[in-house]
Amino acid sequence: MSKAAGQGRNGKRGVHVTLSDVAKKVGVSPITISRALRNPQIVSEDLREVILRTVDEMGYIPNLAARALAGLHNGIVGVITPALHQYGFTDLMIGIEDRFRHTEFTVQYSNTLRHAEGEAGLLKSFLTQKPAGVIIAGAESYRDLLPLIERAACPIAHIADLSQEPQTLVVGLDHYAAGAEPTRFLLAKGYNRIAFMGRGADVRSRRRIEGYEAAMREAGRFDPDLIIGGDAASRTGLGRELFSTLLQRVPDLDAVFAQSDEMALGVLIECKARGIRVPEDVGICGFNDLEFSAFTEPSLTTVRIPRYDIGYRVADMLLHAVRDEPPAEDKTDVGFSIIPRGSTR
């Protein structure tokens, strides 16, 4: 390691700038600095600018553990999610961060990668740090989470399927309906042999499979061979692969309801490679309404979930709870919408 490595701005290794150092430099009390950093609007704009400039110049880093010991929480909002790596989570994350952006809170993420057995451990880890609050953004199971939630010293908000256990501080939708209604839409367009593409990796996709099956049974069209799932590094590549398997298994299929727009894109690419006309021979419906879906040829019919709105509203609920303010709503169904485009009749 070079001599400069680990040195502060004053050139001395390991020198720790304290709150008192910053206060002395600004000419105010340490408690004023602390309050200004936690809640900037309580001080004048001129003083706030001086404090922030001094903090930056001196390299002061707030001690969150000390803050937690001195107060009710450490100023962090924890977000536990199963899918931080997926495109669909980006809008939700922006919604959460936009709501907290001009507050005293910082957002910190932890990713379960859909491993249900790790959810309780991550929540416990957050809770030991005395967070301001936690958002559980899509738990697989609440069996091990509920005891922790009931004993938590901070509010916990949820993004969930509305069939799951949380009854307060919940934003979500009915994924059973999000599987049934698009299937009925395809049936109404004259498609009969409608495949469902998705493996039910989590509770939300399993609920959509249940909704799809119910709609197909209502129409007298259900066939278990029409349901297919799988894994691959590329969801678009997986869509191509699964559609090829479906054609071998059910050669007379005439529509696909794919559980992601990426997989739907794979189906569209495979149709073009095989000379299958879309939407005349095969209709395609995706899920999530990602940006590219409107620009494929033909454009993709899909199911739109208001992801930004979900993130913003769950953050708003939690913020009200942290501040002991009544929320505008305690449980919200944001719904979904079917976006008809060129890939269906």
Side-chain angles (χ1 to χ4, degrees):
M1 182 182 291
S2 69
K3 183 178 179 180
Q7 293 183 356
R9 295 185 182 211
N10 56 9
K12 296 181 181 179
R13 179 187 298 274
V15 173
H16 175 62
V17 178
T18 68
L19 196 68
S20 296
D21 294 333
V22 177
K24 185 175 180 181
K25 180 78 171 179
V26 176
V28 297
S29 67
I31 192 65
T32 298
I33 301 293
S34 178
R35 287 173 176 168
L37 293 177
R38 281 199 309 250
N39 201 0
Q41 62 266 30
I42 68 171
V43 299
S44 68
E45 184 176 348
D46 289 344
L47 179 56
R48 182 165 63 245
E49 288 181 1
V50 171
I51 290 172
L52 293 177
R53 184 170 63 250
T54 305
V55 163
D56 182 58
E57 289 173 352
M58 297 184 71
Y60 171 67
I61 300 174
N63 187 331
L64 297 181
R67 178 193 289 184
L69 288 172
L72 295 175
H73 57 73
N74 65 7
I76 287 175
V77 170
V79 180
I80 299 173
T81 170
L84 190 60
H85 60 294
Q86 292 183 355
Y87 296 131
F89 191 76
T90 303
D91 291 335
L92 191 149
M93 182 168 59
I94 293 171
I96 291 172
E97 296 193 2
D98 275 357
R99 184 62 188 93
F100 284 116
R101 191 170 310 283
H102 299 296
T103 71
E104 65 271 33
F105 301 106
T106 301
V107 181
Q108 192 173 93
Y109 295 91
S110 190
N111 199 8
T112 70
L113 295 174
R114 292 200 171 90
H115 294 155
E117 65 275 10
E119 293 172 342
L122 288 177
L123 177 57
K124 191 179 296 184
S125 177
F126 268 131
L127 294 177
T128 60
Q129 300 171 55
K130 294 182 69 174
V134 176
I135 295 171
I136 301 177
E140 178 61 21
S141 170
Y142 275 89
R143 185 191 63 188
D144 297 328
L145 292 174
L146 285 176
L148 295 172
I149 292 168
E150 290 166 359
R151 296 195 301 267
C154 67
I156 297 177
H158 311 267
I159 298 170
D161 180 83
L162 296 181
S163 69
Q164 291 182 280
E165 288 86 344
Q167 296 301 309
T168 59
L169 300 182
V170 179
V171 177
L173 62 137
D174 182 348
H175 284 271
Y176 180 94
E181 291 305 317
T183 305
R184 294 190 184 107
F185 168 84
L186 291 170
L187 288 164
K189 294 293 182 180
Y191 299 108
N192 295 303
R193 299 285 279 164
I194 303 166
F196 184 99
M197 189 177 287
R199 66 186 179 92
D202 55 57
V203 65
R204 292 160 296 284
S205 57
R206 288 195 297 275
R207 290 282 289 165
R208 293 196 291 271
I209 291 174
E210 292 169 3
Y212 157 84
E213 180 176 338
M216 291 292 280
R217 287 191 184 278
E218 288 170 7
R221 301 289 183 182
F222 179 69
D223 178 351
D225 283 343
L226 287 166
I227 299 177
I228 192 169
D231 291 295
S234 164
R235 286 192 162 197
T236 301
L238 179 61
R240 294 194 68 172
E241 177 187 320
L242 294 182
F243 184 62
S244 296
T245 302
L246 277 170
L247 288 175
Q248 295 173 4
R249 183 194 298 179
V250 192
D252 62 338
L253 74 84
D254 59 6
V256 175
F257 178 16
Q259 287 307 282
S260 74
D261 286 347
E262 299 102 316
M263 282 199 294
L265 176 61
V267 175
L268 179 60
I269 292 170
E270 188 64 21
C271 283
K272 286 185 175 294
R274 291 172 177 261
I276 297 172
R277 297 176 303 163
V278 178
E280 295 87 355
D281 300 330
V282 170
I284 305 171
C285 179
F287 198 91
N288 269 331
D289 192 27
L290 298 181
E291 183 182 10
F292 69 79
S293 301
F295 302 102
T296 59
E297 181 53 46
S299 55
L300 284 173
T301 292
T302 187
V303 179
R304 177 180 294 164
I305 305 297
R307 297 184 300 276
Y308 176 90
D309 192 40
I310 290 172
Y312 193 94
R313 289 168 82 164
V314 76
D316 187 67
M317 275 187 185
L318 185 65
L319 187 58
H320 278 81
V322 170
R323 292 174 172 173
D324 290 321
E325 301 168 352
E329 48 198 351
D330 207 34
K331 188 171 185 176
T332 302
D333 182 353
V334 297
F336 60 90
S337 52
I338 299 169
I339 310 299
R341 294 197 182 110
S343 65
T344 51
R345 297 172 190 150

